[in-house]
Amino acid sequence: MIILGIETSCDETAISVVDCKGTLESPDFKLLGSALVSQMKLHAEYGGVYPNLAKREHIKNLPIVLEKALDEAKMEMGNIDAVAVTVGPGLEPALWTGINFAEQLGKEWGIPVIPTNHMEGHIASVLTDRSSMKFPALALLISGGHTELVYLKNWTEKEVIGETKDDAVGEAFDKVARMLGLPYPGGPEISALAERARNSEQGTSIKFPRPMIHSKDLNFSFSGLKTAVLYYLRDHPGADKEEVAREFEDSVVEVLLSKTRQAVEKYNPKTLIVGGGVIANKKIRESFEEIFTNLDLRIPEKELTTDNATMIAMAGYLSHLSGRDNEIALKAQGQLKYIS
Ligand code: KG4
Ligand code: ZN
């Protein structure tokens, strides 16, 4: 089955053509072609994503991205068997642009449209290299909009076992970056500063909290950490930004590792998936690779950590195989949850 994936839930307009084969237990994916336009620079001056600007840009970019992706895949309309489109969670005005575009293609080409969950996409993002995986699995999803731990009994039965009570990890990176006068998105900027501090090997007297690290549940909170950074900068004019970045990143790493370790102990998964834009972070990635050595740790290849349409095509295929493609409505659902 050749699936055309469409992703417009936030600030990336992306289309991928993926050759999808195999079963739910052992799917087999091959990326044929893809194109992506990021609006990151446009939104940078707002310090975050501005929904109506995102909508306008998606509408402008979708036809261009479609042509590029089809070109690269050497495909024409007659070759595509289905369209998978993100319907949520995400920004509704942005989601609608992808949905309307998908519906139009579906009609024109006479093929079905598979409404797809963006978070299932992030989970499926690890399936490009070695497709089949052992269950039960645990997924830690860390992005600009989400921070959650998901237990997967199999590809269809999922349960959120922990989530952030306030800010998402990526959001905390972005907000702290802003306090430090760094551009959006802040993750890569902070990461670079923190690494410089680590390389210089000087000690630090800064100690930020590790929010909820001792709570008895698997939930997260990052807004207190963000506030701690704010107060520290207020009380220490001229503070060393590299040191602040390192201590902030260390706090995030410790919390993510601790909660994931607790979840692994409690649920005993065979596979651990870590997906979402924040896993592009070198320190976080290396820490996970160092700690979780006795289960199958799956981290997506770099281009598939941040939002993309390849993961949507793959998730759409799995949802189609499980016969659930009609259980999600084909409309923008900003707060879409997993079906269980
Ligand atoms: O998955 P994603 O592209 O979009 C959402 O679905 O939210 O994630 C974007 C987030 C941003 O908050 C960005 O700051 C963060 O991922 N990010 C990073 C790094 N690269 C991107 N955070 C920490 N370290 C990085 N190297
Ligand atoms: Zn995402």
Side-chain angles (χ1 to χ4, degrees):
M1 205 177 169
I2 308 281
I3 298 190
L4 183 109
I6 302 181
E7 160 62 35
T8 63
S9 69
C10 192
D11 58 353
E12 256 93 42
T13 317
I15 293 185
S16 289
V17 182
V18 181
D19 187 1
C20 306
K21 293 197 188 104
T23 61
L24 258 190
E25 289 69 38
S26 180
D28 182 7
F29 297 108
K30 189 165 173 247
L31 175 61
L32 300 177
S34 67
L36 182 148
V37 175
S38 175
Q39 306 168 9
M40 213 129 76
K41 288 211 177 75
L42 272 178
H43 294 287
E45 58 187 290
Y46 300 96
V49 180
Y50 189 66
N52 282 319
L53 177 61
K55 175 179 160 180
R56 202 183 69 201
E57 289 296 307
H58 285 312
I59 292 173
K60 189 180 87 192
N61 291 328
L62 274 165
I64 303 166
V65 170
L66 173 68
E67 203 183 310
K68 264 180 94 178
L70 287 176
D71 243 32
E72 194 181 295
K74 301 195 174 52
M75 289 278 157
E76 290 166 11
M77 58 179 261
N79 305 124
I80 310 288
D81 299 305
V83 177
V85 64
T86 305
V87 296
L91 304 168
E92 292 194 356
L95 288 163
W96 273 120
T97 64
I99 296 167
N100 290 336
F101 195 74
E103 265 195 307
Q104 204 182 313
L105 289 181
K107 256 190 225 141
E108 253 173 63
W109 298 355
I111 55 174
V113 176
I114 308 170
T116 306
N117 181 321
H118 180 83
M119 302 313 286
E120 292 189 357
H122 276 300
I123 299 174
S125 69
V126 299
L127 292 174
T128 41
D129 52 349
R130 288 167 297 144
S131 291
S132 65
M133 65 163 66
K134 291 210 170 76
F135 291 99
L138 191 73
L140 171 69
L141 303 178
I142 42 179
S143 72
H146 293 271
T147 300
E148 60 188 35
L149 275 162
V150 187
Y151 176 73
L152 293 98
K153 199 169 157 196
N154 50 51
W155 265 112
T156 40
E157 292 169 88
K158 305 180 186 75
E159 187 196 344
V160 176
I161 55 171
E163 63 194 333
T164 182
K165 293 286 154 204
D166 37 63
D167 293 354
V169 198
E171 197 179 348
F173 267 97
D174 295 336
K175 286 179 178 166
V176 167
R178 213 170 163 189
M179 292 175 204
L180 293 172
L182 304 167
Y184 172 86
E189 303 280 337
I190 294 210
S191 174
L193 284 189
E195 194 170 353
R196 256 184 272 157
R198 276 184 207 108
N199 289 340
S200 78
E201 283 176 10
Q202 69 190 48
T204 182
S205 55
I206 311 176
K207 190 74 189 163
F208 293 139
R210 271 60 175 155
M212 289 184 77
I213 204 162
H214 296 302
S215 71
K216 297 261 178 295
D217 54 24
L218 296 169
N219 292 326
F220 302 88
S221 163
F222 291 101
S223 105
L225 174 59
K226 172 192 72 188
T227 312
V229 177
L230 182 72
Y231 289 163
Y232 183 86
L233 292 173
R234 184 195 62 189
D235 298 339
H236 300 80
D240 182 341
K241 288 184 186 180
E242 293 179 6
E243 246 181 72
V244 172
R246 174 177 61 180
E247 174 60 12
F248 165 76
E249 196 175 69
D250 282 350
S251 167
V252 170
V253 170
E254 264 183 54
V255 171
L256 293 177
L257 283 177
S258 163
K259 294 287 174 173
T260 309
R261 208 187 278 122
Q262 285 174 52
V264 166
E265 277 164 17
K266 187 167 171 197
Y267 289 88
N268 211 6
K270 294 195 169 77
T271 307
L272 173 62
I273 298 163
V274 189
V278 179
I279 196 58
N281 182 287
K282 190 166 160 239
K283 174 78 180 166
I284 301 177
R285 186 186 279 254
E286 288 176 355
S287 306
F288 272 81
E289 283 167 350
E290 199 183 303
I291 302 287
F292 297 101
T293 49
N294 50 10
L295 41 66
D296 186 11
L297 176 64
R298 299 269 187 116
I299 293 174
E301 47 188 290
K302 186 124 186 180
E303 307 83 80
L304 298 186
T305 58
T306 49
D307 291 348
N308 63 86
T310 307
M311 68 182 197
I312 299 305
M314 294 191 290
Y317 179 67
L318 295 173
S319 156
H320 166 74
L321 283 186
S322 59
R324 291 181 152 194
D325 32 1
N326 294 317
E327 286 183 29
I328 306 179
L330 188 58
K331 60 174 198 196
Q333 299 163 70
Q335 308 292 331
L336 181 65
K337 302 270 182 280
Y338 298 104
I339 305 173
S340 55

CSV table of all heavy atoms in Angstrom, one decimal, residues 33-53:
chain,number,residue,atom,x,y,z
A,33,GLY,N,9.6,9.2,-0.9
A,33,GLY,CA,9.8,10.6,-1.2
A,33,GLY,C,9.2,11.5,-0.1
A,33,GLY,O,8.2,11.1,0.5
A,34,SER,N,9.8,12.6,0.2
A,34,SER,CA,9.2,13.5,1.2
A,34,SER,C,9.7,15.0,0.9
A,34,SER,O,10.7,15.2,0.3
A,34,SER,CB,9.7,13.1,2.6
A,34,SER,OG,11.0,13.3,2.7
A,35,ALA,N,8.9,15.9,1.4
A,35,ALA,CA,9.2,17.3,1.4
A,35,ALA,C,8.6,18.0,2.6
A,35,ALA,O,7.6,17.6,3.1
A,35,ALA,CB,8.6,17.9,0.1
A,36,LEU,N,9.4,19.0,3.1
A,36,LEU,CA,8.9,19.7,4.3
A,36,LEU,C,9.4,21.1,4.3
A,36,LEU,O,10.4,21.4,3.8
A,36,LEU,CB,9.6,18.9,5.5
A,36,LEU,CG,9.4,19.4,6.9
A,36,LEU,CD1,9.4,18.2,7.9
A,36,LEU,CD2,10.3,20.5,7.4
A,37,VAL,N,8.4,22.0,4.7
A,37,VAL,CA,8.8,23.4,4.8
A,37,VAL,C,8.5,23.8,6.3
A,37,VAL,O,7.4,23.5,6.8
A,37,VAL,CB,7.9,24.3,3.9
A,37,VAL,CG1,8.2,25.8,4.2
A,37,VAL,CG2,8.1,24.0,2.4
A,38,SER,N,9.6,24.3,6.9
A,38,SER,CA,9.4,24.7,8.3
A,38,SER,C,9.2,26.2,8.4
A,38,SER,O,9.8,26.9,7.7
A,38,SER,CB,10.7,24.3,9.1
A,38,SER,OG,10.6,24.8,10.4
A,39,GLN,N,8.2,26.5,9.3
A,39,GLN,CA,7.9,28.0,9.4
A,39,GLN,C,8.7,28.5,10.7
A,39,GLN,O,8.3,29.6,11.1
A,39,GLN,CB,6.4,28.1,9.7
A,39,GLN,CG,5.6,27.5,8.6
A,39,GLN,CD,4.1,27.4,9.0
A,39,GLN,OE1,3.7,28.0,10.0
A,39,GLN,NE2,3.3,26.7,8.3
A,40,MET,N,9.6,27.7,11.2
A,40,MET,CA,10.2,28.1,12.4
A,40,MET,C,10.7,29.5,12.4
A,40,MET,O,10.5,30.3,13.4
A,40,MET,CB,11.4,27.2,12.7
A,40,MET,CG,11.7,26.9,14.1
A,40,MET,SD,11.8,25.1,14.3
A,40,MET,CE,13.4,24.8,13.6
A,41,LYS,N,11.4,29.9,11.4
A,41,LYS,CA,12.0,31.3,11.4
A,41,LYS,C,10.9,32.3,11.4
A,41,LYS,O,11.1,33.4,12.1
A,41,LYS,CB,12.8,31.4,10.1
A,41,LYS,CG,14.1,30.7,10.1
A,41,LYS,CD,15.3,31.3,9.4
A,41,LYS,CE,16.6,30.6,9.5
A,41,LYS,NZ,16.6,29.3,8.7
A,42,LEU,N,9.8,32.1,10.7
A,42,LEU,CA,8.7,33.0,10.7
A,42,LEU,C,8.1,33.2,12.1
A,42,LEU,O,7.7,34.4,12.5
A,42,LEU,CB,7.6,32.5,9.8
A,42,LEU,CG,7.6,32.8,8.3
A,42,LEU,CD1,6.4,32.1,7.6
A,42,LEU,CD2,7.6,34.3,8.1
A,43,HIS,N,8.0,32.1,12.8
A,43,HIS,CA,7.4,32.2,14.2
A,43,HIS,C,8.4,32.7,15.2
A,43,HIS,O,8.0,33.1,16.3
A,43,HIS,CB,6.8,30.9,14.6
A,43,HIS,CG,5.7,30.4,13.7
A,43,HIS,ND1,4.4,30.9,13.8
A,43,HIS,CD2,5.6,29.5,12.8
A,43,HIS,CE1,3.6,30.3,13.0
A,43,HIS,NE2,4.3,29.4,12.3
A,44,ALA,N,9.6,32.7,14.9
A,44,ALA,CA,10.7,33.0,15.8
A,44,ALA,C,10.4,34.4,16.5
A,44,ALA,O,10.6,34.6,17.7
A,44,ALA,CB,12.1,33.0,15.2
A,45,GLU,N,9.9,35.4,15.7
A,45,GLU,CA,9.8,36.7,16.3
A,45,GLU,C,8.6,36.8,17.3
A,45,GLU,O,8.5,37.7,18.1
A,45,GLU,CB,9.6,37.8,15.2
A,45,GLU,CG,8.4,37.5,14.3
A,45,GLU,CD,8.4,38.5,13.1
A,45,GLU,OE1,8.1,39.7,13.4
A,45,GLU,OE2,8.7,38.1,12.0
A,46,TYR,N,7.7,35.8,17.3
A,46,TYR,CA,6.7,35.7,18.3
A,46,TYR,C,7.1,34.9,19.5
A,46,TYR,O,6.3,34.8,20.5
A,46,TYR,CB,5.4,35.1,17.7
A,46,TYR,CG,4.8,35.9,16.5
A,46,TYR,CD1,5.1,35.5,15.2
A,46,TYR,CD2,4.0,37.0,16.7
A,46,TYR,CE1,4.6,36.2,14.1
A,46,TYR,CE2,3.5,37.7,15.6
A,46,TYR,CZ,3.8,37.3,14.4
A,46,TYR,OH,3.3,38.0,13.3
A,47,GLY,N,8.2,34.3,19.4
A,47,GLY,CA,8.7,33.4,20.5
A,47,GLY,C,7.9,32.2,20.6
A,47,GLY,O,8.0,31.5,21.6
A,48,GLY,N,7.1,31.8,19.6
A,48,GLY,CA,6.3,30.6,19.7
A,48,GLY,C,5.5,30.5,18.4
A,48,GLY,O,5.7,31.4,17.5
A,49,VAL,N,4.7,29.5,18.3
A,49,VAL,CA,3.9,29.4,17.1
A,49,VAL,C,2.6,30.2,17.1
A,49,VAL,O,1.8,30.1,18.1
A,49,VAL,CB,3.6,27.9,16.8
A,49,VAL,CG1,2.8,27.7,15.5
A,49,VAL,CG2,4.9,27.1,16.7
A,50,TYR,N,2.4,31.0,16.1
A,50,TYR,CA,1.2,31.9,16.0
A,50,TYR,C,0.2,31.2,15.0
A,50,TYR,O,0.5,31.1,13.8
A,50,TYR,CB,1.8,33.2,15.5
A,50,TYR,CG,0.8,34.3,15.5
A,50,TYR,CD1,0.3,34.8,16.7
A,50,TYR,CD2,0.3,34.9,14.3
A,50,TYR,CE1,-0.6,35.9,16.7
A,50,TYR,CE2,-0.6,35.9,14.3
A,50,TYR,CZ,-1.0,36.4,15.5
A,50,TYR,OH,-2.0,37.4,15.5
A,51,PRO,N,-0.9,30.7,15.6
A,51,PRO,CA,-1.8,29.8,14.8
A,51,PRO,C,-2.3,30.3,13.4
A,51,PRO,O,-2.2,29.6,12.5
A,51,PRO,CB,-3.0,29.6,15.7
A,51,PRO,CG,-2.4,29.8,17.1
A,51,PRO,CD,-1.4,30.8,16.9
A,52,ASN,N,-2.7,31.6,13.4
A,52,ASN,CA,-3.2,32.1,12.1
A,52,ASN,C,-2.2,32.2,11.0
A,52,ASN,O,-2.4,32.0,9.8
A,52,ASN,CB,-4.1,33.3,12.3
A,52,ASN,CG,-5.4,32.9,12.9
A,52,ASN,OD1,-6.0,31.9,12.4
A,52,ASN,ND2,-5.9,33.7,13.9
A,53,LEU,N,-1.0,32.6,11.5
A,53,LEU,CA,0.2,32.7,10.5
A,53,LEU,C,0.5,31.2,10.0
A,53,LEU,O,0.7,31.0,8.8
A,53,LEU,CB,1.4,33.3,11.2
A,53,LEU,CG,2.7,33.4,10.4
A,53,LEU,CD1,2.4,34.3,9.2
A,53,LEU,CD2,3.8,34.0,11.3
